[in-house]
Amino acid sequence: MTNHRIALIPGDGIGTEVLPAAQQVLDVLGRRHGFGLTYTSYDDWSCERYLREGAMMPADGLDQLRDKDAILLGAVGHPEVPDHVSLWGLLIPIRRGFRQYVNLRPIRVFEGIESPVRAARAGDVDFVVVRENVEGEYSQVGGRFNTGFPDELAVQEAVFTRAGVSRVLDYAFGLAARRGGRLTSATKSNGIVHTMPFWDELVAERATDFPQVTWDQEHIDALAAKFVLAPGRFDVVVASNLFGDILSDLAAAIAGSIGIAPAANLNPEREFPSMFEPVHGSAPDIAGRGVANPLGAIWSAAMMLDHLGHPAAAKDVTDAVAGLLAKTDVRTRDLGGTATTAEFTDKVLELL
């Protein structure tokens, strides 16, 4: 029997509540499909650790994760720790240290979930945002100068490399070839004079290797509008780090709640473990109350199973979730219901 070594990082806030729900689902699927899961939990890799010790994780944190087959993360964030400290202390070092250069975020409107967007109907909206995940606008190049003086300034440089852009484009075009055959590239080359024209040139260059894919490009401001006006027109959307981050959160809201949205941080070459996480944050306003929506974590776990070579098990999860939302009134509060985290999870398990 195949056995997978899984690192669990609950993190902060509701991350500690939704990750156990995902683990319950994984265990059921392992028994059904004949694979094993061995968990190693890193419960103190969190903002509480930072407040106590000045670090989100140990200095050898990446070495502790390196031999795992995948990482399942809950959430990161605490009101007393600035977001740039918590993210750059845990999440981003894992993404970059393990070359997880593809951030994959599926967007789907489920039957039974009313989107706030009138044009977003179940069955019509089912697309994927492919976000470049390790360079672009979120670089470490720059600095603060003349601190405390009237002429104080901050410089932040965007870094786009041929290798970095080409590899995420190849992934996105390949995904489009396996899905509906359509790709949209997010750009802003009418206003950003160097990096975005470079991005556009590489899109056109890489497209020649995928003649079966029809592609176009949209400026990010127009694309955001079209996400709202006509979300059903998209199949695969590829974007830089910043643009992909913003677009995928907008798309999750279109789907009904950011609480249901999953994400994968992939190292496609499988030289390092990939990491899977719900898109939602730590939600300190509801943490500890047992009312968080576990769907984002459960769907992220399904993406992990697909990555590990168990697509049938992953489909069991999405089918169960789709059935729950379409045929029952079980909803967490963010979806307009009253179900607790445990009640929602129990219903998913019942349908599995």
Side-chain angles (χ1 to χ4, degrees):
M1 181 175 68
T2 302
N3 185 73
H4 302 291
R5 297 161 297 178
I6 308 300
L8 299 177
I9 307 177
D12 302 298
I14 64 171
T16 63
E17 302 172 49
V18 299
L19 215 58
Q23 188 177 351
Q24 286 180 269
V25 170
L26 287 170
D27 289 340
V28 167
L29 292 167
R31 291 192 293 270
R32 171 184 292 176
H33 290 272
F35 58 83
L37 297 159
T38 300
Y39 303 103
T40 304
S41 189
Y42 301 88
D43 293 332
D44 70 336
W45 293 20
S46 64
C47 287
E48 288 190 8
R49 180 191 178 99
Y50 177 83
L51 292 171
R52 186 176 66 249
E53 301 182 19
M56 293 288 295
M57 63 177 176
D60 66 344
L62 294 186
D63 290 333
Q64 293 188 40
L65 299 174
R66 198 175 302 274
D67 67 340
K68 304 302 185 291
D69 295 308
I71 304 161
L72 193 57
L73 176 74
V76 177
H78 189 283
E80 296 179 28
V81 180
D83 286 343
H84 70 276
V85 172
S86 59
L87 291 177
W88 283 87
L90 180 64
L91 188 66
I92 293 178
I94 294 173
R95 287 175 174 174
R96 299 191 173 188
F98 291 150
R99 299 177 75 84
Q100 297 168 351
Y101 60 84
V102 170
N103 185 272
L104 193 65
R105 297 189 177 183
I107 306 299
R108 176 177 172 185
V109 175
F110 287 96
E111 183 181 352
I113 297 295
E114 184 176 351
S115 169
V117 175
R118 286 179 298 175
R121 293 179 291 272
D124 292 339
V125 179
D126 186 353
F127 65 95
V128 180
V129 176
V130 178
R131 166 191 172 193
E132 198 290 317
N133 207 33
V134 297
E135 54 175 50
E137 302 90 348
Y138 294 177
S139 81
Q140 292 172 277
V141 179
R144 300 277 291 271
F145 304 93
N146 299 330
T147 304
F149 290 95
D151 57 349
E152 182 176 1
L153 73 152
V155 175
Q156 179 74 51
E157 299 287 353
V159 175
F160 288 68
T161 66
R162 173 173 285 274
V165 175
S166 295
R167 64 190 181 186
V168 77
L169 293 178
D170 284 347
Y171 183 92
F173 272 108
L175 180 61
R178 299 188 299 274
R179 284 177 50 95
R182 293 178 290 114
L183 179 140
T184 300
S185 170
T187 185
K188 190 57 182 170
S189 49
N190 61 343
I192 300 175
V193 69
H194 296 302
T195 56
M196 283 292 103
F198 179 62
W199 173 278
D200 294 347
E201 291 165 14
L202 290 177
V203 172
E205 177 183 300
R206 301 313 305 153
T208 60
D209 283 351
F210 301 89
Q212 71 274 46
V213 176
T214 301
W215 67 277
D216 62 358
Q217 63 185 43
E218 295 276 2
H219 291 132
I220 183 67
D221 42 356
L223 183 55
K226 290 176 182 178
F227 264 27
V228 175
L229 295 173
R233 63 170 286 189
F234 299 104
D235 179 29
V236 173
V237 178
V238 64
S240 67
N241 210 333
L242 175 61
F243 291 173
D245 194 2
I246 296 170
L247 285 174
S248 55
D249 278 18
L250 171 61
I254 290 169
S257 170
I258 201 168
I260 73 175
N265 302 277
L266 300 177
N267 172 245
E269 294 79 14
R270 301 173 187 266
E271 298 169 329
F272 304 99
S274 293
M275 179 168 61
F276 302 82
E277 54 170 329
V279 172
H280 65 67
S282 59
D285 56 324
I286 62 169
R289 295 165 54 188
V291 298
N293 188 344
L295 179 49
I298 291 171
W299 194 355
S300 298
M303 295 181 73
M304 182 181 76
L305 291 178
D306 188 58
H307 175 75
L308 293 173
H310 304 288
K315 187 175 184 300
D316 281 354
V317 177
T318 52
D319 286 350
V321 167
L324 184 155
L325 296 174
K327 299 174 183 178
T328 81
D329 60 357
V330 177
R331 302 285 189 277
T332 47
R333 297 187 184 186
D334 60 308
L335 297 177
T338 60
T340 65
T341 307
E343 289 168 345
F344 190 95
T345 304
D346 286 345
K347 193 64 179 179
V348 173
L349 294 171
E350 178 187 322
L351 292 173
L352 283 174

